[in-house]
């Protein structure tokens, strides 16, 4: 009985991960957020990351957070090195979806990289 339950949990967790990846691509056409006096925040950042960039204190801007990154083509060594040079620490690569960490203070700069289509904050799949 325990094995069956564990398999169900794994299947549900896997489905949730792929659903999240699909949602990243669906939200690509979403309108960008407006910040300050009409200056446009990068439309590549999800609304939560946009708010985080706007409200983070100087101390918080130095903290690294987990993100999902959608890129325009399958990631190769050159792209991964370019992202690493911009402060993105890659954790995993699945085709055109990357996971990793980046400091809050450089999210907007990272979003300017032309191969990045969307940046989304990662969230735990289970409560801890």
């Amino acid at each position: 009985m325990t094995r069956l339950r564990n398999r169900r949990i794994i299947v549900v967790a896997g489905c949730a991960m792929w659903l999240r990846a699909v949602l990243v691509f669906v939200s690509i056409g979403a309108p960008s957020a407006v910040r300050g006096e009409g200056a446009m925040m990068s439309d590549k950042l999800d609304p939560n990351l946009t708010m985080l960039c706007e409200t983070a204190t100087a101390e918080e801007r130095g903290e690294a957070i987990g993100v999902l990154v959608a890129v325009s083509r399958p990631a190769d060594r050159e792209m991964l090195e370019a992202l690493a040079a911009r402060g993105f620490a890659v954790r995993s690569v699945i085709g055109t979806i990357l996971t990793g960490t980046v400091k809050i203070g450089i999210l907007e700069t990272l979003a300017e990289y032309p191969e990045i289509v969307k940046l989304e904050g990662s969230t735990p799949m289970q409560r801890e």
Side-chain angles (χ1 to χ4, degrees):
M1 191 69 158
T2 303
R3 281 185 166 174
L4 181 60
R5 182 171 179 234
N6 288 343
R7 285 184 188 163
R8 286 181 186 163
I9 290 171
I10 290 170
V11 169
V12 169
C15 291
M17 181 181 74
W18 285 108
L19 176 62
R20 187 170 178 85
V22 169
L23 291 175
V24 167
F25 287 111
V26 169
S27 66
I28 288 172
S32 60
V34 176
R35 179 178 66 166
E37 285 114 66
M40 298 301 280
M41 172 72 80
S42 173
D43 61 350
K44 295 179 181 181
L45 296 176
D46 78 10
N48 290 330
L49 291 181
T50 300
M51 186 177 71
L52 184 61
C53 289
E54 292 175 347
T55 60
T57 64
E59 184 178 329
E60 291 170 337
R61 294 180 69 75
E63 294 178 17
I65 60 166
V67 293
L68 293 170
V69 179
V71 291
S72 60
R73 60 182 173 83
D76 57 13
R77 176 180 224 123
E78 181 181 318
M79 181 189 293
L80 296 176
E81 289 173 354
L83 292 171
R86 287 167 173 78
F88 180 64
V90 178
R91 187 176 308 145
S92 63
V93 179
I94 306 168
T96 59
I97 301 291
L98 313 171
T99 66
T101 58
V102 64
K103 290 183 180 177
I104 296 169
I106 60 173
L107 276 168
E108 292 172 296
T109 304
L110 182 64
E112 293 172 2
Y113 183 65
E115 299 285 346
I116 291 180
V117 177
K118 188 76 176 172
L119 277 161
E120 182 177 325
S122 64
T123 55
M125 292 172 48
Q126 295 181 12
R127 291 187 178 188
E128 295 180 7

